[in-house]
Amino acid sequence: MGINLDMFVLGWLLPFFSNIVSQDFMHLVIDNYIVKGWVFVYSFCLTMLLYFRDEILACNNEEDIYVTLSVQNILAKGVPWRDIIESSANFPVTKKDIAVGTLSETTTVIY
């Protein structure tokens, strides 16, 4: 199944995650972005995919994945934001991974 990441990631990025992350934790997102830049943004998105991995793998089609990763579902789930943000800050993504467009080292962590 070919998944178009734009179908859900843009919905997170355009408001810089403020539509999904609890206001109590948005300062941590901004702090990490200031310190780590786009590396943190990529790490955050990958961490979110890992958090929802079991639900994503249970999906039968792209529409199910979109619903699983929708703002409404994320808000309803009660995501442990502090854990997600801390995991994102330590996720093994580098500027080189982003520039080259490969996440070879990270891929081994995901799978």
Side-chain angles (χ1 to χ4, degrees):
M1 175 173 19
I3 305 301
N4 181 357
L5 297 177
D6 293 345
M7 67 184 190
F8 56 87
V9 173
L10 283 178
W12 299 344
L13 285 177
L14 290 177
F16 201 70
F17 309 116
S18 65
N19 60 341
I20 58 171
V21 176
S22 166
Q23 288 182 346
D24 296 336
F25 297 103
M26 263 316 288
H27 70 282
L28 296 174
V29 171
I30 294 168
D31 287 349
N32 277 287
Y33 175 71
I34 290 170
V35 172
K36 298 183 179 204
W38 281 100
V39 169
F40 176 76
V41 173
Y42 278 76
S43 299
F44 186 86
C45 290
L46 290 170
T47 302
M48 289 294 291
L49 292 174
L50 283 172
Y51 180 78
F52 285 98
R53 173 181 45 211
D54 293 338
E55 292 177 46
I56 293 168
L57 292 174
C59 292
N60 295 316
N61 54 48
E62 287 183 40
E63 185 177 336
D64 291 346
I65 293 171
Y66 181 76
V67 170
T68 298
L69 298 174
S70 69
V71 171
Q72 294 82 5
N73 186 56
I74 291 171
L75 292 175
K77 181 125 175 120
V79 175
W81 290 116
R82 183 174 302 280
D83 295 341
I84 293 289
I85 295 165
E86 287 175 4
S87 294
S88 299
N90 297 314
F91 205 89
V93 174
T94 67
K95 288 181 182 180
K96 181 181 175 189
D97 293 326
I98 295 168
V100 174
T102 63
L103 296 172
S104 56
E105 294 177 31
T106 305
T107 305
T108 59
V109 174
I110 294 172
Y111 301 105

